[in-house]
Amino acid sequence: MKVLLIGSGGREHALAAALNRDPKLEELHVAPGNPGIAQIALCHELDIKDNKAIVALAQKLNSDLVVIGPELPLVNGVADELAKAKIPCFGPSKAAAQLEGSKDFAKKVMSDAGVPTAKSFTCTTKSEIERALDTFGAPYVVKHDGLAAGKGVVVTDDRDFAIEHALQSPQVVIEEYLDGPEVSLFGISDGHHVIAMQPAQDFKRVSDGDLGPNTGGMGAYSPLPWAPDEIVEEVLDQVLNPTVKEMAARATPFVGLLYAGLALTSHGTRVIEFNARFGDPETQVLMPRLKTPLAQLLLAAATGKLKEFGELDWSQDSAVTVVLASPGYPASPKVGEPITGINPNSNSFVFHAGTELRDQILHSAGGRVLTVTGVGSDLTEARDAAYRTISQISLTGSHYRSDIALNASVAEKGN
Ligand code: AMP
Ligand code: GLY
């Protein structure tokens, strides 16, 4: 099988590594890729905003499957273009990608499908915004309606700041605050049938102790030893299956990865958000644990054959990933610094996120630079492996959280 993967981050590096392990894979191409991915796949220059260029590359490479990493090409309708060219694509159509592209659309689908989520109002004027904020009270949750590259959501006790953030977008969703631990659960969907992956937890805030601003994600771990055993079944029944059924009933079936961001509240599980693609950095902890051949799984989803596919096979290992970020991330990352000391061992992987080669020397090129995943027989071992490898990496001014999976590993040891 010849696979073309679109994207250039840590998520795509982890996906590329997993695709490579599939015995049916013959060729792996990634566009645009990055220096880490270039060590394990053939990379091609590409502007990911250019749908025609993506289709042309897939045709030129004779790809049997195109896997779309980031949300932008999906919301731009690349899956529709690939469908016209009769090339199987793992990733939803433009209409189905609205589950991520519009918070208001996602709320309507959840309402129609009976999926539990935070109560919300969609607002366009200042008076609507104020009324909604005062209905729910603090902490205020304000979400820009469209794609916002991780910057659209504000959770704050400051009413003036909530209003200011809301007024920056023509339409916002204001919703009740959901208390409780967050879980990311990914469903692989062929439009009608869904297979759930194992849950992971993502650390969104920049600093230890969940302090500081939200980021794209500073670390993750999987599995979750503290999570209820039935969580996967429950989310399949209450969230993933009803959503996929509703999208099919609307004649816009969702084919690809349905990412449910969940809050486990005292009143039950609630959806915080949907994404239409693999999460980053959750993918970096799930892929090293997945034993099922990934290329075959994603092709089955892209071609409507998941029902026959069977269950996923996971290693018993735990995995922890820690993100190495540039100085100033997330507000104003400073890039262009040399990186040295990348020495993964048999229990750790270094996935490149924002790197580039200059005169054959690796430099930082993005806010999130590397994601370092450790694996081990439990979370403590996995943490040790990740932190041992990340602590040896030199990048001036860079920072990472020191508490990824810490509480869960302590609780696990205590059991
Ligand atoms: P989102 O992009 O919708 O996932 O929001 C980013 C982050 O904001 C989430 O991971 C949560 O930590 C937080 N968040 C979003 N919605 C809520 C909510 N209703 N209640 C509490 N926290 C939220
Ligand atoms: N881990 C959060 C995201 O991928 O959006």
Side-chain angles (χ1 to χ4, degrees), residues 100-117:
E100 173 164 2
S102 165
K103 304 269 186 201
D104 177 53
F105 176 80
K107 284 287 182 192
K108 289 195 174 115
V109 171
M110 283 189 264
S111 168
D112 289 353
V115 170
T117 184

Side-chain angles (χ1 to χ4, degrees), residues 202 204 216 259 275 277 279-282:
D202 175 20
K204 290 255 164 67
Y259 168 136
N275 290 319
R277 36 98 194 149
D280 189 341
E282 294 95 326

Side-chain angles (χ1 to χ4, degrees), residues 10 14 198-203 208 217-226 280-290 314-324 344-351 370-391 393 400-410 412-413:
Q198 287 205 348
Q201 191 170 49
D202 175 20
F203 291 71
D208 280 8
M218 293 298 289
Y221 66 96
S222 173
L224 312 179
W226 52 269
D280 189 341
E282 294 95 326
T283 303
Q284 289 91 311
V285 289
L286 290 173
M287 289 307 125
R289 302 186 50 236
L290 183 70
W314 297 93
S315 95
Q316 293 301 311
D317 283 345
S318 295
V320 172
T321 197
V322 184
V323 172
L324 184 79
N345 55 45
S346 59
N347 295 323
S348 65
F349 307 89
V350 176
F351 298 120
L370 300 167
T371 49
V372 179
T373 299
V375 294
S377 63
D378 60 15
L379 288 173
T380 304
E381 270 189 36
R383 270 174 56 79
D384 286 350
Y387 280 109
R388 208 174 309 125
T389 298
I390 204 170
S391 66
I393 299 174
Y400 57 85
R401 280 183 65 158
S402 69
D403 64 347
I404 304 298
L406 178 60
N407 291 343
S409 70
V410 172
E412 184 183 39
K413 279 275 183 240

